[in-house]
Amino acid sequence: MKLTRYREFESFCPQPGVRLFGYESDRFKTIRARIYLLTPIKRKVATEVALLARVLRAGSENHPTRREFARVCEELYGATLGIGVSRFADAQALVCTVDFPADRFLPKNSKELEGALSLLVELLTKPALNEDGSALRADVVEQEKYQLENDLRALEDDKPAWAALQATQRTYAGMPGAIYEHGEIEDLQSISSSALLARHESLIGNARVLAFVTGPVQPLHALRVFANELALPHRRRSILPPAKKLKNVRQVQRKRIKAVTEQTHLVFAWSGGDVYGGPGYEPMLYADALLGGYGMSRLFTVVREEHGLAYAVHSSYHRARGSIFAQAAVDVARADRAQKLIRSEFKRLQSDGFSNEEFEAVRESLIEARRSAFDSQGARVGDMAFQDVLGFKQSPERQLSAIRKVTPAQVRAMLRKLKPHSEFRLG
């Protein structure tokens, strides 16, 4: 096996559409292995994949119950095993992870790496089937349908999250960005146990695969073991679509859902910025941070602290869309005033700019946040996966350097490019 350097990772590609990554670091006490199965996100498929993740973690061919999984994890010195769904731009990911202690904390020749990777691959590729092998177990599928439906309904009780989801779906209407990666209730009942097995076989055979082993490991040995365990069909695998930016609109779209709530939830979107990997990505980080990304931001200091109009207010950068979203939870009687103030603060930031003190505080916060993120195995792996999906490579050191080099003029120019896109109100 010949490894190649891929950003800070050692990498091996056993077949087209399948890439394995290894990253050695003694800073961590645990080893983490993670597998992503990536496919273009589509509405009904998204619900099937979200349900499939729940069914897979309920049992495998050799360990048919959660209790069996718990037992074998204990035998692997307390390994933790999990599976779920995520998304990177317009790709949905089925994500399977195992964490286990590093060799230096274990008895000699314990071979936990081999055992943990074998268990991870089994969880992902060998589901427990019915007696004739034609479908996933119907009782488990129905049970997990019930649990997923309950979880999706419970979202409506979490008003900030519900408002953000409703605003996102309306802002990105007609785009893949409007699809919720955890599925939709109305799609659940039509999913059969045989259809779910077909979806599993499609993912195993056709999804793009990224697999990682990170921590105190020897990459050559770890990736050799991983490649031997992860025997996948040799088929043509999915080509992931490029991310779709949020386009500017001639007139701001304003939507409202009336509801009896203790607080009114406001969500704003601005379009026209750059995306992750683009030349204006770092200035966009500054623009978001100045508006509402940190405690020194305009929305926090003016809307919340100075005027006392919001219980919570912040902004976030949708880095695959070139957009910035801001969200505030406000007193019902003062919602109109808060809405006007948030609009005016964005306009003031565009027209009047920011002070040198604000800029330097944001620079230090961005650098410290990025450094902290790369102290996490999960953040390194997630960042690498996101870059791979979007089609570029940029090392952590290069990212930090690019953030340091941003000038106030670049940030002001980026702020001027942003246009009001939509406003949403729940309450």
PDB file of all heavy atoms in Angstrom, residues 366-380:
ATOM      1  N   LEU A 366     -11.486  34.985  15.815  1.00  0.00           N
ATOM      2  CA  LEU A 366     -11.523  34.024  14.709  1.00  0.00           C
ATOM      3  C   LEU A 366     -10.324  33.089  14.758  1.00  0.00           C
ATOM      4  O   LEU A 366     -10.468  31.863  14.566  1.00  0.00           O
ATOM      5  CB  LEU A 366     -11.554  34.755  13.367  1.00  0.00           C
ATOM      6  CG  LEU A 366     -12.858  35.461  12.995  1.00  0.00           C
ATOM      7  CD1 LEU A 366     -12.662  36.307  11.744  1.00  0.00           C
ATOM      8  CD2 LEU A 366     -13.986  34.458  12.791  1.00  0.00           C
ATOM      9  N   ILE A 367      -9.141  33.635  15.004  1.00  0.00           N
ATOM     10  CA  ILE A 367      -7.940  32.804  15.060  1.00  0.00           C
ATOM     11  C   ILE A 367      -8.012  31.833  16.227  1.00  0.00           C
ATOM     12  O   ILE A 367      -7.720  30.633  16.076  1.00  0.00           O
ATOM     13  CB  ILE A 367      -6.684  33.688  15.165  1.00  0.00           C
ATOM     14  CG1 ILE A 367      -6.466  34.437  13.842  1.00  0.00           C
ATOM     15  CG2 ILE A 367      -5.447  32.857  15.511  1.00  0.00           C
ATOM     16  CD1 ILE A 367      -5.370  35.476  13.896  1.00  0.00           C
ATOM     17  N   GLU A 368      -8.445  32.316  17.389  1.00  0.00           N
ATOM     18  CA  GLU A 368      -8.527  31.442  18.554  1.00  0.00           C
ATOM     19  C   GLU A 368      -9.585  30.351  18.355  1.00  0.00           C
ATOM     20  O   GLU A 368      -9.376  29.194  18.721  1.00  0.00           O
ATOM     21  CB  GLU A 368      -8.858  32.262  19.800  1.00  0.00           C
ATOM     22  CG  GLU A 368      -8.877  31.459  21.096  1.00  0.00           C
ATOM     23  CD  GLU A 368      -7.561  30.762  21.373  1.00  0.00           C
ATOM     24  OE1 GLU A 368      -6.494  31.317  21.011  1.00  0.00           O
ATOM     25  OE2 GLU A 368      -7.587  29.650  21.934  1.00  0.00           O
ATOM     26  N   ALA A 369     -10.716  30.714  17.752  1.00  0.00           N
ATOM     27  CA  ALA A 369     -11.764  29.720  17.500  1.00  0.00           C
ATOM     28  C   ALA A 369     -11.287  28.645  16.537  1.00  0.00           C
ATOM     29  O   ALA A 369     -11.556  27.450  16.719  1.00  0.00           O
ATOM     30  CB  ALA A 369     -13.013  30.407  16.943  1.00  0.00           C
ATOM     31  N   ARG A 370     -10.540  29.049  15.494  1.00  0.00           N
ATOM     32  CA  ARG A 370     -10.056  28.075  14.533  1.00  0.00           C
ATOM     33  C   ARG A 370      -8.987  27.179  15.149  1.00  0.00           C
ATOM     34  O   ARG A 370      -8.970  25.963  14.917  1.00  0.00           O
ATOM     35  CB  ARG A 370      -9.515  28.803  13.298  1.00  0.00           C
ATOM     36  CG  ARG A 370      -9.185  27.903  12.105  1.00  0.00           C
ATOM     37  CD  ARG A 370     -10.340  26.980  11.754  1.00  0.00           C
ATOM     38  NE  ARG A 370     -11.559  27.677  11.527  1.00  0.00           N
ATOM     39  CZ  ARG A 370     -12.012  28.037  10.330  1.00  0.00           C
ATOM     40  NH1 ARG A 370     -11.301  27.765   9.262  1.00  0.00           N
ATOM     41  NH2 ARG A 370     -13.163  28.641  10.194  1.00  0.00           N
ATOM     42  N   ARG A 371      -8.104  27.751  15.947  1.00  0.00           N
ATOM     43  CA  ARG A 371      -7.106  26.933  16.642  1.00  0.00           C
ATOM     44  C   ARG A 371      -7.773  25.918  17.563  1.00  0.00           C
ATOM     45  O   ARG A 371      -7.375  24.752  17.611  1.00  0.00           O
ATOM     46  CB  ARG A 371      -6.180  27.832  17.450  1.00  0.00           C
ATOM     47  CG  ARG A 371      -5.091  28.522  16.646  1.00  0.00           C
ATOM     48  CD  ARG A 371      -4.306  29.451  17.536  1.00  0.00           C
ATOM     49  NE  ARG A 371      -3.160  30.038  16.853  1.00  0.00           N
ATOM     50  CZ  ARG A 371      -2.512  31.102  17.291  1.00  0.00           C
ATOM     51  NH1 ARG A 371      -2.893  31.702  18.416  1.00  0.00           N
ATOM     52  NH2 ARG A 371      -1.489  31.570  16.610  1.00  0.00           N
ATOM     53  N   SER A 372      -8.771  26.368  18.306  1.00  0.00           N
ATOM     54  CA  SER A 372      -9.475  25.457  19.229  1.00  0.00           C
ATOM     55  C   SER A 372     -10.166  24.339  18.469  1.00  0.00           C
ATOM     56  O   SER A 372     -10.172  23.183  18.904  1.00  0.00           O
ATOM     57  CB  SER A 372     -10.493  26.244  20.063  1.00  0.00           C
ATOM     58  OG  SER A 372      -9.854  27.209  20.856  1.00  0.00           O
ATOM     59  N   ALA A 373     -10.749  24.689  17.332  1.00  0.00           N
ATOM     60  CA  ALA A 373     -11.449  23.670  16.540  1.00  0.00           C
ATOM     61  C   ALA A 373     -10.493  22.579  16.084  1.00  0.00           C
ATOM     62  O   ALA A 373     -10.821  21.388  16.115  1.00  0.00           O
ATOM     63  CB  ALA A 373     -12.126  24.316  15.331  1.00  0.00           C
ATOM     64  N   PHE A 374      -9.288  22.961  15.663  1.00  0.00           N
ATOM     65  CA  PHE A 374      -8.347  21.965  15.162  1.00  0.00           C
ATOM     66  C   PHE A 374      -7.683  21.166  16.272  1.00  0.00           C
ATOM     67  O   PHE A 374      -6.906  20.253  16.003  1.00  0.00           O
ATOM     68  CB  PHE A 374      -7.321  22.623  14.250  1.00  0.00           C
ATOM     69  CG  PHE A 374      -7.886  23.027  12.923  1.00  0.00           C
ATOM     70  CD1 PHE A 374      -7.721  24.312  12.431  1.00  0.00           C
ATOM     71  CD2 PHE A 374      -8.614  22.126  12.158  1.00  0.00           C
ATOM     72  CE1 PHE A 374      -8.253  24.686  11.206  1.00  0.00           C
ATOM     73  CE2 PHE A 374      -9.153  22.491  10.942  1.00  0.00           C
ATOM     74  CZ  PHE A 374      -8.977  23.779  10.465  1.00  0.00           C
ATOM     75  N   ASP A 375      -7.985  21.505  17.534  1.00  0.00           N
ATOM     76  CA  ASP A 375      -7.575  20.653  18.644  1.00  0.00           C
ATOM     77  C   ASP A 375      -8.505  19.453  18.803  1.00  0.00           C
ATOM     78  O   ASP A 375      -8.248  18.562  19.602  1.00  0.00           O
ATOM     79  CB  ASP A 375      -7.555  21.451  19.961  1.00  0.00           C
ATOM     80  CG  ASP A 375      -6.337  22.346  20.057  1.00  0.00           C
ATOM     81  OD1 ASP A 375      -5.340  22.067  19.360  1.00  0.00           O
ATOM     82  OD2 ASP A 375      -6.386  23.327  20.821  1.00  0.00           O
ATOM     83  N   SER A 376      -9.592  19.451  18.039  1.00  0.00           N
ATOM     84  CA  SER A 376     -10.574  18.369  18.079  1.00  0.00           C
ATOM     85  C   SER A 376     -10.391  17.454  16.879  1.00  0.00           C
ATOM     86  O   SER A 376     -10.302  17.923  15.737  1.00  0.00           O
ATOM     87  CB  SER A 376     -11.990  18.956  18.073  1.00  0.00           C
ATOM     88  OG  SER A 376     -12.943  18.011  17.656  1.00  0.00           O
ATOM     89  N   GLN A 377     -10.348  16.142  17.143  1.00  0.00           N
ATOM     90  CA  GLN A 377     -10.274  15.190  16.029  1.00  0.00           C
ATOM     91  C   GLN A 377     -11.493  15.330  15.126  1.00  0.00           C
ATOM     92  O   GLN A 377     -11.388  15.308  13.895  1.00  0.00           O
ATOM     93  CB  GLN A 377     -10.203  13.762  16.567  1.00  0.00           C
ATOM     94  CG  GLN A 377      -8.943  13.431  17.335  1.00  0.00           C
ATOM     95  CD  GLN A 377      -8.857  11.951  17.644  1.00  0.00           C
ATOM     96  OE1 GLN A 377      -8.597  11.153  16.768  1.00  0.00           O
ATOM     97  NE2 GLN A 377      -9.087  11.586  18.899  1.00  0.00           N
ATOM     98  N   GLY A 378     -12.670  15.465  15.751  1.00  0.00           N
ATOM     99  CA  GLY A 378     -13.899  15.571  14.976  1.00  0.00           C
ATOM    100  C   GLY A 378     -13.918  16.783  14.066  1.00  0.00           C
ATOM    101  O   GLY A 378     -14.377  16.717  12.925  1.00  0.00           O
ATOM    102  N   ALA A 379     -13.408  17.926  14.569  1.00  0.00           N
ATOM    103  CA  ALA A 379     -13.394  19.142  13.758  1.00  0.00           C
ATOM    104  C   ALA A 379     -12.442  19.003  12.576  1.00  0.00           C
ATOM    105  O   ALA A 379     -12.748  19.440  11.459  1.00  0.00           O
ATOM    106  CB  ALA A 379     -13.000  20.339  14.614  1.00  0.00           C
ATOM    107  N   ARG A 380     -11.267  18.404  12.785  1.00  0.00           N
ATOM    108  CA  ARG A 380     -10.329  18.193  11.676  1.00  0.00           C
ATOM    109  C   ARG A 380     -10.952  17.310  10.592  1.00  0.00           C
ATOM    110  O   ARG A 380     -10.865  17.601   9.396  1.00  0.00           O
ATOM    111  CB  ARG A 380      -9.053  17.534  12.192  1.00  0.00           C
ATOM    112  CG  ARG A 380      -8.051  18.496  12.813  1.00  0.00           C
ATOM    113  CD  ARG A 380      -6.777  17.768  13.179  1.00  0.00           C
ATOM    114  NE  ARG A 380      -5.804  18.671  13.774  1.00  0.00           N
ATOM    115  CZ  ARG A 380      -4.888  19.358  13.100  1.00  0.00           C
ATOM    116  NH1 ARG A 380      -4.805  19.222  11.789  1.00  0.00           N
ATOM    117  NH2 ARG A 380      -4.048  20.164  13.728  1.00  0.00           N
TER     118      ARG A 380
END
